[in-house]
């Protein structure tokens, strides 16, 4: 697909990736598929059962399709990131996961038929992709509380309890949470901190609707970092509303920074969570790939997670 402003056009043939393990992944896609069929989008359907299968499938189909449509949650989209960057194929999203934070950032409808209509509309925007130690992510990469949460929150829990599973797992993690020492390196130098969590966001939303920063955008070519430097875990309860709006940085115990590169070091290796999956360990080097993926989004208006200037109509050539 080549981007050509002013001439939106739907893909004529698309690879459909379906993750039956995601919550709702094997569920009612009928209306969405009918909408795509009515729009003249021919689908090559593949069901993937492991994240490692996704990028090879995209590579294999790159010459036979004009787009990739992913039916799944943030984990499925994360698994597709490398293949999308390598091939340049645009992404359509049918949000059938638990949190659907990338879909929320992009302002996509939760109704699957409506989401299919967005893809059929053909309007696309270039978005940034984050990178930690060579692992790509759309939403947030983090260590500390959220990494422990990712290790506790099983697929079975998410399928059974949905978004409530996050609250249940979070309560368990908080009961045993302890601060740890980390070194944060950015353009302003190095800081040693005592923290409960460090998060580096590429997009706006993560964790089922929390905002990484009030002004965070997925197309601003920057990463947003925060560090929770509370001495008492119970104070996190006071930040609940702040997290939803991305205003937690107003607290003196929350360190924030904005940059294109970060490095985080810890005394012993700590796991890093990217879009809900544990993929690497500290020391961790974070960077942003500006405009690395094109995604189908509503044409108007610009959403909270996208800057207005980033709207680009696309044409499938």
């Amino acid at each position: 697909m080549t981007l050509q402003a002013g001439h939106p056009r739907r893909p004529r043939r698309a690879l459909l990736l379906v993750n039956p393990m995601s919550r709702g992944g094997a569920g009612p896609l009928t209306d969405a598929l009918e909408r795509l069929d009515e729009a003249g989008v021919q689908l090559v359907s593949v069901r993937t059962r492991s994240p490692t299968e996704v990028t090879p499938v995209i590579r294999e189909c790159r010459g036979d399709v004009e787009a990739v449509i992913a039916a799944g949650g943030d984990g499925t989209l994360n698994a597709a990131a490398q293949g999308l960057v390598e091939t340049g194929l645009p992404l359509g999203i049918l949000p059938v996961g638990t949190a659907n934070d990338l879909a929320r950032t992009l302002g996509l409808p939760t109704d699957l038929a409506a989401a299919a209509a967005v893809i059929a509309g053909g309007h696309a925007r270039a978005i940034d992709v984050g990178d930690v130690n060579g692992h790509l992510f759309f939403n947030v990469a983090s260590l500390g509380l959220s990494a422990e949460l990712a290790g506790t929150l099983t697929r079975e829990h998410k399928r059974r309890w949905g978004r409530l599973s996050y609250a249940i797992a979070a309560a368990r993690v908080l009961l045993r949470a302890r601060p740890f020492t980390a070194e944060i390196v950015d353009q302003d130098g190095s800081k040693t901190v005592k923290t409960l969590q460090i998060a580096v966001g590429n997009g706006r939303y993560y964790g089922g609707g929390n905002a990484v920063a009030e002004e965070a955008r997925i197309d601003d070519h920057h990463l947003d970092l925060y560090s929770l430097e509370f001495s008492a875990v119970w104070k996190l309860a006071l930040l609940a509303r702040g997290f939803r709006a991305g205003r937690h940085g107003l607290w003196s115990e929350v360190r924030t920074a904005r940059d294109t590169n970060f490095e985080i070091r810890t005394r012993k290796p700590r796991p890093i969570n990217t879009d809900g999956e544990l993929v690497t360990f500290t020391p961790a080097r974070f960077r942003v790939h500006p405009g690395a993926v094109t995604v189908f989004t509503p044409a108007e208006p610009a959403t909270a997670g996208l800057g207005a200037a980033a709207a680009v109509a696309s044409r499938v050539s």
Side-chain angles (χ1 to χ4, degrees):
M1 169 175 283
T2 58
L3 296 181
Q4 190 168 342
H7 297 280
R9 182 178 173 183
R10 70 182 62 89
R12 292 163 295 194
R13 185 174 171 86
L15 170 64
L16 174 65
L17 296 172
V18 180
N19 177 12
M21 301 304 292
S22 67
R23 189 170 186 261
L29 290 174
T30 303
D31 290 345
L33 300 185
E34 287 180 354
R35 182 68 64 91
L36 290 169
D37 182 63
E38 291 168 359
V41 181
Q42 184 180 0
L43 298 175
V44 178
S45 182
V46 177
R47 289 182 178 268
T48 59
R49 294 189 175 274
S50 167
T52 60
E53 298 177 5
V54 177
T55 285
V57 168
I58 295 174
R59 289 176 183 146
E60 183 179 346
C61 295
R62 67 185 302 173
D64 192 40
V65 299
E66 297 173 337
V68 174
I69 299 174
D74 291 307
T76 301
L77 299 172
N78 180 279
Q82 186 66 45
L84 294 169
V85 170
E86 288 182 14
T87 63
L89 291 169
L91 170 67
I93 301 173
L94 298 177
V96 291
T98 305
N100 298 314
D101 284 307
L102 179 57
R104 190 191 311 269
T105 291
L106 299 173
L108 297 177
T110 56
D111 177 80
L112 296 182
V118 169
I119 299 169
H123 291 273
R125 290 173 176 171
I127 64 173
D128 305 335
V129 177
D131 180 319
V132 54
N133 290 351
H135 298 273
L136 303 182
F137 63 95
F138 286 113
N139 301 324
V140 171
S142 57
L143 64 153
L145 293 176
S146 61
E148 294 176 33
L149 176 63
T152 302
L153 192 61
T154 66
R155 283 193 174 92
E156 179 57 34
H157 288 155
K158 288 192 285 187
R159 288 175 64 87
R160 182 175 181 181
W161 300 106
R163 291 181 62 184
L164 180 60
S165 61
Y166 284 87
I168 296 171
R172 293 174 179 169
V173 168
L174 288 174
L175 287 174
R176 60 176 185 266
R178 297 292 183 274
F180 62 94
T181 300
E183 181 184 5
I184 301 172
V185 183
D186 62 13
Q187 63 183 354
D188 295 324
S190 173
K191 309 98 178 170
T192 299
V193 302
K194 197 82 167 178
T195 182
L196 289 165
Q197 172 167 296
I198 300 173
V200 178
N202 172 63
R204 177 173 176 81
Y205 293 110
Y206 72 103
N210 292 316
V212 69
E214 188 172 12
E215 300 301 323
R217 300 291 185 270
I218 200 167
D219 53 10
D220 61 9
H221 306 345
H222 284 81
L223 301 173
D224 291 280
L225 176 147
Y226 73 76
S227 172
L228 301 180
E229 297 168 16
F230 291 94
S231 57
V233 175
W234 63 266
K235 288 187 178 182
L236 289 175
L238 304 177
L239 275 178
R241 293 183 63 182
F243 275 122
R244 302 304 286 184
R247 296 175 182 169
H248 43 281
L250 298 176
W251 286 66
S252 60
E253 295 96 335
V254 180
R255 183 186 304 271
T256 62
R258 194 166 188 264
D259 207 337
T260 57
N261 292 268
F262 291 101
E263 184 173 355
I264 298 175
R265 306 164 185 158
T266 55
R267 291 175 179 172
K268 63 178 181 179
R270 300 189 70 94
I272 305 289
N273 165 32
T274 60
D275 296 341
E277 304 293 332
L278 299 177
V279 298
T280 187
F281 293 84
T282 54
R285 294 175 175 83
F286 301 80
R287 60 178 176 147
V288 64
H289 298 283
V293 168
T294 302
V295 60
F296 294 108
T297 64
E300 295 292 343
T303 69
L306 282 165
V312 180
S314 67
R315 177 177 182 177
V316 177
S317 59

